Amino acid sequence: MAIDYAALKKGGFMRQRQKGFFSLRLGVTGGKVTSEQLAAVIDTANTYGKGYIHLTSRQGIEIPFISVNDIEAVKETLAKGGIAPGASGPRVRTVTACQGNKVCPNACIDTEDIAQEISRRYFGRDLPHKFKFGVTGCQNNCLKAEENDLGIKGGLAVRWIEDKCTKCGVCVKTCRNGAITINDGKITVDYGRCINCGRCALGCPAGAYETTEGYFVYFGGLFGNTINKGTPIVPFITDKETVLRVCDAALEFFKENAKPGERFKFTADRVGWDTLRERIMLAYNG
């Protein structure tokens, strides 16, 4: 019986050096795996693999040494634990994300929420080549947003509220961009120098900063044979719906214009960044 390697790869089963064996990539969004899912992974690795797993560089889990004869049984075992195979090949890959503001005190946004939404909308979608999303919660950039085909970085738009301010100076010390100064007990915020990191608001003991969550979006990042820092095309976005419209436009541009085997960055280089920028800005403006 002939083996459809392309179909197996699309479903996360990647050929190994050893004939007849596959390393199974699982569907993990934002690095979050429940204990029930993890139990199913352990059961699968012990029963059908060699008793170990591999943690990928993009927060994924792979189970090596899955025999071609056990593929359906592996799917059933994993399904009982609520976890499914992932995706490989020319399509939208696993969405990576840090833990976000549900856990991390530095994070500006709920990364899990937007990562799950992106995954629901795009994961596994067929494209001319692979396409990677990454979401990071703040300017610390733990998930390195600019290395992805489309990267999202959380931020906070801040506004100082004089009536609540105790003039303690904590915000002056925490601002790494020199946007906040204090002279004769008077706080001055240079919003032109503000990078929306939110450190002033997160560190303020008096709650003297009003905040609005938002997103920086970067296009065309790569970190492989070619290294390229993603390009910011749109201004700071303060609503998720606009972010998703921009994501829609980027994927549509890529699908319409890319050659097979061509990454997003190179499609933009060939077709023209001005053309991409026009498409993205149309989506940004609604």
Side-chain angles (χ1 to χ4, degrees):
M1 178 179 169
I3 300 173
D4 189 343
Y5 289 107
L8 288 173
K9 186 175 183 179
K10 182 176 181 179
F13 290 87
M14 299 173 295
R15 294 172 70 176
Q16 293 186 196
R17 288 179 177 270
Q18 295 80 8
K19 186 176 180 180
F21 287 92
F22 296 81
S23 186
L24 170 58
R25 180 174 294 168
L26 300 177
V28 177
T29 300
K32 183 175 181 179
V33 182
T34 67
S35 56
E36 180 186 12
Q37 291 172 329
L38 194 56
V41 172
I42 293 170
D43 186 17
T44 302
N46 285 334
T47 304
Y48 301 104
K50 287 198 172 183
Y52 75 95
I53 63 170
H54 171 70
L55 299 178
T56 75
S57 61
R58 288 184 59 82
Q59 301 182 317
I61 295 175
E62 289 180 9
I63 307 175
F65 289 96
I66 300 297
S67 169
V68 65
N69 299 316
D70 294 329
I71 286 175
E72 293 307 316
V74 164
K75 289 180 180 179
E76 290 177 10
T77 301
L78 291 170
K80 291 176 183 176
I83 190 166
S88 188
R91 51 196 50 89
V92 177
R93 301 292 186 83
T94 294
V95 181
T96 61
C98 66
Q99 293 196 80
N101 63 10
K102 286 183 177 178
V103 175
C104 179
N106 298 314
C108 300
I109 61 170
D110 185 344
T111 54
E112 181 186 349
D113 175 66
I114 193 164
Q116 291 288 350
E117 180 65 27
I118 289 170
S119 186
R120 284 191 294 269
R121 290 168 74 100
Y122 309 121
F123 176 69
R125 180 181 294 187
D126 291 338
L127 292 168
H129 200 12
K130 60 186 173 185
F131 195 98
K132 297 178 179 180
F133 286 92
V135 184
T136 199
C138 68
Q139 293 285 356
N140 288 336
N141 207 13
C142 297
L143 259 292
K144 302 175 179 62
E146 294 91 336
E147 292 181 3
N148 293 271
D149 295 284
L150 197 151
I152 297 170
K153 182 189 297 179
L156 291 176
V158 300
R159 186 177 70 86
W160 176 60
I161 305 171
E162 185 172 7
D163 292 345
K164 292 185 177 182
C165 184
T166 62
K167 316 300 190 297
C168 68
V170 169
C171 59
V172 178
K173 295 176 183 177
T174 57
C175 179
R176 299 179 182 179
N177 220 43
I180 306 173
T181 55
I182 183 169
N183 292 296
D184 297 327
K186 173 71 173 179
I187 293 286
T188 301
V189 182
D190 183 351
Y191 292 102
R193 298 186 67 174
C194 177
I195 58 171
N196 303 111
C197 67
R199 291 188 179 94
C200 55
L202 295 172
C204 178
Y209 284 89
E210 182 181 85
T211 62
T212 303
E213 293 183 7
Y215 314 86
F216 296 97
V217 185
Y218 305 90
F219 303 83
L222 282 173
F223 201 83
N225 293 312
T226 299
I227 297 175
N228 185 67
K229 183 179 179 181
T231 300
I233 292 177
V234 295
F236 186 64
I237 298 173
T238 55
D239 67 284
K240 188 170 67 175
E241 290 71 26
T242 299
V243 173
L244 295 173
R245 286 202 311 271
V246 164
C247 293
D248 286 343
L251 285 182
E252 288 167 6
F253 175 88
F254 185 51
K255 186 170 185 177
E256 292 170 10
N257 293 285
K259 297 178 179 179
E262 180 179 65
R263 290 293 291 273
F264 184 45
K265 186 262 184 191
F266 298 119
T267 302
D269 287 346
R270 178 174 52 79
V271 177
W273 280 88
D274 286 343
T275 302
L276 173 61
R277 186 172 288 105
E278 181 180 358
R279 178 76 71 87
I280 297 299
M281 288 307 298
L282 282 172
Y284 170 80
N285 291 317

